[in-house]
Amino acid sequence: MKVLKFGGSSVGSSERIKAVLSILKQVYSKEKKFAVVFSAFQGVTDKLEIIAKLAADGNKSYLEELNELREKHIDIATKLPCDPEKLTESINVLLNELENLLKGVNLLKELTPRSMDYIYSFGERLSCAIITESLKHSGIECGFLDARKLIRTNDKFGKAEVDFTASNKLITEFFNKTDIVQIVTGFIASSENGISTTLGRGGSDYTASILGAALNAEEIQIWTDVDGIMTADPRKVVDAHSLKAVTYEEASEMSYFGAKVIYPPTMKPAMDKKIKIRIKNTFNPNARGTVIVEREPEVKFNAKGISSIDDVSIIRVSGNAMPGIEGVSARIFSALARDRIKILLITQGSSGISISVALFPGEAAKAMNALREEFKLEIYENRIETELIENLSMIAVVGEDMLDTPGITGRVLQSLGRNGINVIAVAQGSSQLNISLVISRSYLSKALNALHSALFLDRRKILNLFLIGPGLVGSSLLEYINARYKDVKKDYSTRLKIAGIANSKKMVFDKNGVELNNWKDILDNSDTKSEVEQFISKMKEMNLPNSIFIDCSGRGAIAPYYRDILDASISVTTPNKVANSGSYQNYLTLRETAARRNVRFEYSANVGAGLPIISAISEMVRNSDKITRIEAVLSGSLSYIFNRFRNEEKISQIILDARKAGFSEPDPRDDLNGLDFARKMLILIREAGFEFEPEDIKVENLIPQDMQNITNAEDFMNSISDMDDHYKNLKKKAEEKKGRLCYMGSFDGKKAAVSLECIDNTHPFFSLDGSGNIAAIYSDRYHDNPLVIQGDGAGARLTATGIFADILKISNYLGLTYG
Ligand code: ASP
Ligand code: MG
């Protein structure tokens, strides 16, 4: 036999009840005897409490409220299959009884827990009476069963304790004598003398479990409004999913801690009899749901769920002299116990200098008073201090064997740390299978999401990307990600979500990821005007874990914001050189901020479009190799120009060709003046560990002196052939020395320059060809033969791959291994 239970949300309206009726018909088509526990219609128990209190306050408006309740029940009932007159009649009989009772409360102006329980009983009696009628009318043979007949409790009204010996006997006797479906009132019971009691708010789950256990049911089904027990609250964690199976212990731990799928006492009777509890969704009956089962010893369990108490406070009792005061902890806890304060978490440093307890904020003032009173003397003598810390949240990670599984606590703390979330207290929770953490409330959502992706999506990590400037480079990157993302989705590894994009006109945000197949349309159609500061504050506000900011904007306008972004624990990557080639102080600040916030600032594409020059240098520095000298060609266009300038062609012609082929900037002077090249050189020098300012680099301008004062780009292009003679001469001199011209950067450990040099065939750059970039790095280790890195070093596509490499680097750093 099965026991099913439907809660308030499953019976919130006539439509919902019809859905329940059809679920029951299906069960009925297979078996003719089972028990169905119902709670009161949605909101009714709360309403009864309000009405009772109004009546007790002498407020006559309780009658209006009661009438509303009457209408609600009649309205729902008459929309169901039934004989409306007969059913309205039975509803009125019950409600008249309730009205009389409330009159008494109103006259006496007294509401005892005992009469409250009696008043509560009408909620379940009404819902079950209505449903029984309607089921009968639909051809299901069934009876109305008032649980007060079968479940015996003591007289702790409001949350009575079950007498299982008496109840089990009554239950089995009753069910032995019946052959039909029973519709059972949840939540309510009665004491030995037949007085109505209740099992505690939310107690109809418990009713189902008491029945199921007494009857050795094959299964207890709890029908609710979610797809089972979830790994986390789906309103807070985007990727929360329902669990297929959990153990009784895990389920109780999770429900005590905020994942209110099931009333905690429910677990015990079922667990004692090893009866499966299945959680199902009335709104989605085909979903698999979660089954709560006994633990199978050979199965290694792991983290199962993350839940939270959104609002907690901590009281810290501390003092250097504390270890010397006898019985401090005993006194703390008895003081709190005297005032019935519920303690959520306790931590004590091993030195004994401080003890912290977490509690509900509503009880904090009372608790502070209790402690101040208890330690009056010690506080007066300055030996003990009490401090209240507010606006905190508590998170619990729940799962069997978790504490025996090495590395879990590490993973938990690491994922929080790498997201810049400070942990205020950690403790093993109320049982062996719970790690509890207290953090600042403003980080709650981020923390839950970060933990969720670190613990549950082992094979499916999520990075949240925010991109400004989807120009040539930015859109290549998006295309690249889109292409990769498809593979990635298949094998469930890291998922890259584009949580926000902005161009110069519009911006768009989506915590589930902007659809990459048509991001352009989505962005165009957005009605949010683009604004850098707005973009950044929105990004912070979204507070997504594993966030990365990508600056692909052409200008340096965003660079001043990097520090602020890093400070918000968001990693930054950019191909833009502005931030790294400004003052050295700013350069340092960015790195310090990133380190302090545990995030990364990455810029592989600053030099050589991601050709691994920066990474080679930083790797060498990290391995304590000392860099002594760097030579490099770091401009694709200038490389192209001088590599071709080795035959009879005029330099002006080559420059024009370079421009036409898109190698150079639209105004070639932006390359020829050497400034951009110098910035790259500066970045390499700094990466090698040298404190260098932009003006420390001597830059040779390739535009001849007499042409430097031409302001207009057109005029310059028209007179470009004026350069020819000058360069023809230089080339001739070089050839006389059996050399060639090469515009290169050089740094000797002290001085740096970017200049046109004559190199001979012993130089590693002599055979440089096309538009390639090259760097020769000399160090203690690479003393005679430099480390040479050579390859294509320009273009939007290559730059995009460089940024992608940065993203993966950050992903690794965050502990989310890619691929
Ligand atoms: N109707 C009761 C309540 O709201 C019992 C239940 O819903 O389980 O607390
Ligand atoms: Mg309920």
Side-chain angles (χ1 to χ4, degrees), residues 291-310:
V291 52
I292 306 174
V293 285
E294 222 201 338
R295 177 177 175 186
E296 289 172 49
E298 61 290 355
V299 179
K300 188 86 181 155
F301 280 79
N302 229 322
K304 278 296 168 52
I306 307 173
S307 51
S308 60
I309 299 177
D310 296 6

Side-chain angles (χ1 to χ4, degrees), residues 239-287:
D239 293 277
H241 50 265
S242 77
L243 291 158
K244 206 167 123 196
V246 296
T247 66
Y248 297 109
E249 289 82 0
E250 287 168 336
S252 15
E253 194 69 31
M254 280 153 89
S255 52
Y256 270 115
F257 217 104
K260 289 201 178 53
V261 174
I262 194 167
Y263 182 56
T266 309
M267 236 60 74
K268 180 89 170 60
M271 186 166 98
D272 290 347
K273 289 283 188 75
K274 302 188 173 132
I275 296 170
K276 269 189 265 168
I277 302 179
R278 195 179 295 279
I279 314 278
K280 296 276 288 175
N281 188 354
T282 324
F283 295 77
N284 185 14
N286 293 326

Side-chain angles (χ1 to χ4, degrees), residues 13 50 86 96 150 278 352 381 481 582 644 669 697 721:
S13 66
I50 294 170
K86 199 174 136 211
N96 293 345
L150 304 186
R278 195 179 295 279
E381 291 172 343
I481 290 174
R644 231 177 95 177
R669 290 180 301 176
I697 300 182
S721 51

Side-chain angles (χ1 to χ4, degrees), residues 5 8 39-40 45 124 187 200-205:
K5 180 258 165 177
S39 66
T45 309
E124 270 68 14
F187 178 48
R201 290 301 308 272
S204 356
D205 291 345

Side-chain angles (χ1 to χ4, degrees), residues 274-413:
K274 302 188 173 132
I275 296 170
K276 269 189 265 168
I277 302 179
R278 195 179 295 279
I279 314 278
K280 296 276 288 175
N281 188 354
T282 324
F283 295 77
N284 185 14
N286 293 326
R288 180 184 65 182
T290 301
V291 52
I292 306 174
V293 285
E294 222 201 338
R295 177 177 175 186
E296 289 172 49
E298 61 290 355
V299 179
K300 188 86 181 155
F301 280 79
N302 229 322
K304 278 296 168 52
I306 307 173
S307 51
S308 60
I309 299 177
D310 296 6
D311 213 351
V312 303
S313 299
I314 276 191
I315 293 181
R316 185 178 290 154
V317 181
S318 60
N320 283 327
M322 229 167 79
I325 306 173
E326 210 152 294
V328 177
S329 358
R331 284 170 62 195
I332 294 177
F333 297 117
S334 35
L336 296 175
R338 268 199 300 277
D339 277 341
R340 295 179 175 276
I341 286 160
K342 189 172 157 67
I343 297 172
L344 302 170
L345 169 145
I346 304 164
T347 60
Q348 175 179 24
S350 52
S351 61
I353 297 179
S354 84
I355 293 176
S356 300
V357 292
L359 33 77
F360 288 115
E363 305 205 304
K366 204 160 83 177
M368 279 298 267
N369 287 337
L371 292 171
R372 284 203 195 108
E373 186 55 37
E374 173 67 38
F375 293 104
K376 217 177 353 192
L377 182 66
E378 287 85 350
I379 292 173
Y380 177 75
E381 291 172 343
N382 278 328
R383 294 161 69 206
I384 277 189
E385 249 172 66
T386 54
E387 184 191 359
L388 175 64
I389 312 166
E390 294 176 289
N391 296 323
L392 305 173
S393 292
M394 185 160 148
I395 296 180
V397 180
V398 174
E400 298 265 9
D401 285 345
M402 226 174 30
L403 297 165
D404 299 335
T405 312
I408 293 245
T409 319
R411 233 150 97 197
V412 166
L413 296 178

Side-chain angles (χ1 to χ4, degrees), residues 663-734:
F663 284 133
S664 80
E665 293 297 317
D667 182 348
R669 290 180 301 176
D670 290 340
D671 292 314
L672 294 170
N673 65 19
L675 290 176
D676 188 61
F677 193 147
R679 267 189 218 121
K680 296 180 187 172
M681 210 45 208
L682 175 65
I683 292 169
L684 292 189
I685 294 168
R686 286 175 169 177
E687 195 70 32
F690 295 87
E691 189 180 326
F692 238 66
E693 295 291 349
E695 52 278 12
D696 296 338
I697 300 182
K698 234 175 92 198
V699 188
E700 179 180 345
N701 191 339
L702 291 171
I703 305 163
Q705 195 83 51
D706 50 349
M707 292 173 73
Q708 280 177 20
N709 44 20
I710 303 178
T711 44
N712 184 301
E714 257 336 279
D715 294 347
F716 175 76
M717 293 315 287
N718 291 335
S719 49
I720 194 160
S721 51
D722 295 356
M723 288 171 72
D724 289 338
D725 280 348
H726 174 68
Y727 279 97
K728 200 173 160 195
N729 272 335
L730 290 175
K731 186 167 80 168
K732 207 169 127 212
K733 277 187 200 143

Side-chain angles (χ1 to χ4, degrees), residues 422-439:
N422 193 20
V423 176
I424 294 161
V426 198
Q428 178 182 313
S430 48
S431 75
Q432 283 290 319
L433 28 83
N434 170 330
I435 300 171
S436 299
L437 311 144
V438 178
I439 57 162

